[in-house]
Amino acid sequence: FKENRKDDIWLVDFYAPWCGHCKKLEPVWNEVGIEMKNMGSPVKVGKMDATSFSSIASEFGVRGYPTIKLLKGDLAYNYRGPRTKDDIIEFANRVAGPLIRPLPSHHMFEHVQKRHRVLFVYVGGESPLKEKYIEVASELIVYTYFFSASEDVLPEYVTLPELPAVVVFKDGTYFVYDEYEDGDLSSWINRERFQGYLNVDGFTLYELGDTGKLVAIAVIDDKNSSVEHTRLKSIIQEVARDYRDHFHRDFQFGHMDGNDYINSLLMDDLTIPTIVVLNTSNQQYFLPDRHIENTEDMVQFINNILDGTAEAQGGDGLLQRIKRIIYDAKSTVVSVFKSSPLLGCFLFGLPLGVISIMCYGICTADTDGGVDEHEAAKKENSDRELTDEGSEEEQEEEKNGKYTELSDGELKQKDVMEKKKD
């Protein structure tokens, strides 16, 4: 594979045998291979055990499992989308094809526009802007398609201030790239590759973080058809549509089904339906200080955020990071016990039991040692006292012996003196 891979285009799943996500992807991956073969696609589909061939995995920059890459010549494109059959096949067909796809006729333009919700088109001849467009396309083709066309191919309602130009078609209208207002072309395309209003999930929210925009979301229950849920969703849709020119550079709009993901992100329990604005770059978020009744209230809320009068919560400061660690640990423990109580008891009870026994042993050992030392010291003192008492008795006996000896000598001397006297 390493020697011949450049002869073909390869879509490869780098996996690890022990990885749960890899096992979940396996049936989907088999379907991808079968369908692409039936389609007659030039892309070859394969999978590689990255733990057995770690040198090749390292060469392609594999850092986690599973990692999906499309290998095309000397280039390796990472897949970052949802792990579904249709999304993976769409990625493979997009990246394996031409970098810039020409649109030769008006009919072809209409056909492509119906297929793609967001459409980037370069209009004009050779220029430095086209070179930049090709460069950006080589980087961002993993996310979207890039086309080129002449001005007469475009719909009649399109008016371009000058040529060459880069145009994005979406949300039923079009927007022309302006270098002075929109900045770098790559940043502009990265911001504009989403529709103005989205059904947001966890993956989409992660991708929106690369745009640098704030994300205004109506958190609702899609299964709940009550007036309040429907009203908040409609308000966000109206702002996204009617105030697009005012807010499109700073805001992305959408709705999210359920509050589970938002709760884990904000480390708080949000009551739904509600509206929240997220800053995914620094994990800050904004909640309205009063009930959003209509579109005007929502516009006022957004303007307060833009002018800095709305209070930001959360963030990525030290206290928030500590709170995040505690929250994640707590969530992990709770989820394990909910999914498998016995496994939770084993995983957390066994280490705690071992640690408790170790602590008990250490404390007990210290206490017994202290008692033994105390008793040994007491015994030694007692022995010393006994030894000292024996010495005193012996000394007393010795004194008494001396006194006895002296008394006998004096008696003898007294006898001699008495005899002399006699």
Side-chain angles (χ1 to χ4, degrees):
F1 168 76
K2 188 176 181 180
E3 295 175 355
N4 302 320
R5 73 168 186 85
K6 293 184 180 180
D7 297 336
D8 298 291
I9 301 174
W10 281 91
L11 182 66
V12 183
D13 167 28
F14 294 90
Y15 72 96
W18 44 260
C19 171
H21 295 291
C22 300
K23 294 176 181 178
K24 187 177 180 180
L25 177 64
E26 186 173 359
V28 176
W29 195 252
N30 293 335
E31 292 178 5
V32 170
I34 293 171
E35 184 157 335
M36 295 200 71
K37 184 178 180 180
N38 294 336
M39 292 167 53
S41 172
V43 179
K44 292 187 175 183
V45 181
K47 61 181 180 179
M48 179 178 291
D49 183 350
T51 60
S52 298
F53 303 97
S54 56
S55 60
I56 297 180
S58 178
E59 178 184 341
F60 291 117
V62 176
R63 297 288 181 269
Y65 310 111
T67 293
I68 299 173
K69 288 180 177 284
L70 188 133
L71 310 177
K72 183 181 178 182
D74 294 323
L75 301 175
Y77 295 91
N78 284 332
Y79 176 68
R80 300 177 182 176
R83 291 168 185 165
T84 64
K85 181 191 71 172
D86 293 338
D87 287 306
I88 294 172
I89 291 176
E90 173 75 8
F91 163 81
N93 291 333
R94 180 172 66 248
V95 179
L99 194 62
I100 308 295
R101 290 170 165 82
L103 299 175
S105 65
H106 181 70
H107 176 74
M108 179 63 70
F109 181 92
E110 291 181 343
H111 173 72
V112 170
Q113 191 175 20
K114 290 177 181 178
R115 288 189 58 196
H116 302 285
R117 296 176 179 177
V118 180
L119 188 69
F120 289 97
V121 182
Y122 173 82
V123 185
E126 299 296 326
S127 68
L129 181 61
K130 185 176 182 179
E131 294 178 3
K132 182 65 176 177
Y133 183 73
I134 295 173
E135 179 184 338
V136 173
S138 65
E139 174 190 355
L140 299 181
I141 195 171
V142 294
Y143 299 119
T144 187
Y145 287 90
F146 293 87
F147 297 90
S148 65
S150 58
E151 189 174 12
D152 57 353
V153 168
L154 302 180
E156 295 181 358
Y157 63 82
V158 176
T159 303
L160 301 179
E162 61 180 359
L163 293 178
V166 177
V167 188
V168 59
F169 294 85
K170 66 176 184 178
D171 302 330
T173 183
Y174 70 95
F175 307 96
V176 182
Y177 167 67
D178 187 327
E179 182 178 2
Y180 297 103
E181 292 188 4
D182 300 316
D184 181 65
L185 179 62
S186 177
S187 300
W188 179 77
I189 291 177
N190 198 35
R191 290 196 306 269
E192 297 296 336
R193 62 187 176 92
F194 296 99
Q195 291 177 276
Y197 183 89
L198 297 170
N199 183 355
V200 181
D201 56 15
F203 173 78
T204 307
L205 192 60
Y206 173 79
E207 288 294 302
L208 288 171
D210 294 336
T211 66
K213 292 183 178 182
L214 299 174
V215 186
I217 303 174
V219 186
I220 62 173
D221 183 358
D222 276 338
K223 297 178 182 179
N224 192 325
S225 57
S226 66
V227 175
E228 186 65 11
H229 288 256
T230 306
R231 186 179 62 83
L232 288 182
K233 182 179 177 180
S234 299
I235 289 174
I236 294 291
Q237 288 175 326
E238 289 175 11
V239 173
R241 181 186 66 244
D242 300 339
Y243 293 84
R244 202 273 176 193
D245 292 339
H246 295 84
F247 300 136
H248 78 279
R249 286 186 174 86
D250 302 300
F251 279 85
Q252 177 69 48
F253 299 92
H255 78 273
M256 177 174 282
D257 181 21
N259 61 348
D260 291 341
Y261 187 84
I262 290 292
N263 287 345
S264 64
L265 191 66
L266 307 186
M267 297 180 289
D268 196 2
D269 292 328
L270 288 182
T271 303
I272 58 174
T274 188
I275 288 176
V276 60
V277 175
L278 303 173
N279 186 341
T280 54
S281 63
N282 61 7
Q283 297 182 359
Q284 286 186 341
Y285 62 94
F286 301 85
L287 295 174
D289 55 359
R290 57 194 178 95
H291 191 64
I292 302 295
E293 295 288 348
N294 47 45
T295 304
E296 288 71 22
D297 289 343
M298 187 64 201
V299 171
Q300 182 61 48
F301 177 44
I302 292 175
N303 286 327
N304 290 342
I305 294 174
L306 291 176
D307 61 25
T309 57
E311 180 183 359
Q313 303 182 49
D316 55 0
L318 179 60
L319 292 177
Q320 286 295 321
R321 293 179 185 179
I322 295 173
K323 184 179 177 182
R324 169 64 62 185
I325 293 172
I326 296 173
Y327 181 86
D328 289 342
K330 179 181 176 182
S331 300
T332 301
V333 173
V334 172
S335 63
V336 169
F337 274 98
K338 282 185 176 180
S339 60
S340 179
L342 292 177
L343 179 62
C345 292
F346 177 78
L347 290 177
F348 298 103
L350 181 60
L352 290 175
V354 173
I355 294 172
S356 300
I357 292 172
M358 291 174 63
C359 293
Y360 176 77
I362 293 171
C363 295
T364 305
D366 289 341
T367 304
D368 292 344
V371 172
D372 291 342
E373 291 176 2
H374 179 69
E375 290 180 352
K378 185 176 180 181
K379 183 177 180 182
E380 185 179 351
N381 291 334
S382 300
D383 292 342
R384 286 180 180 176
E385 289 176 0
L386 290 173
T387 304
D388 292 343
E389 289 176 359
S391 299
E392 289 176 359
E393 290 175 356
E394 291 174 358
Q395 291 175 3
E396 188 67 28
E397 290 177 358
E398 289 177 359
K399 288 180 181 179
N400 292 336
K402 289 180 182 179
Y403 292 152
T404 305
E405 291 176 359
L406 289 172
S407 299
D408 292 342
E410 290 177 354
L411 290 173
K412 289 179 181 179
Q413 187 177 5
K414 186 176 181 180
D415 290 340
V416 173
M417 293 295 292
E418 287 180 352
K419 287 179 180 180
K420 285 182 179 181
K421 185 176 180 180
D422 293 341

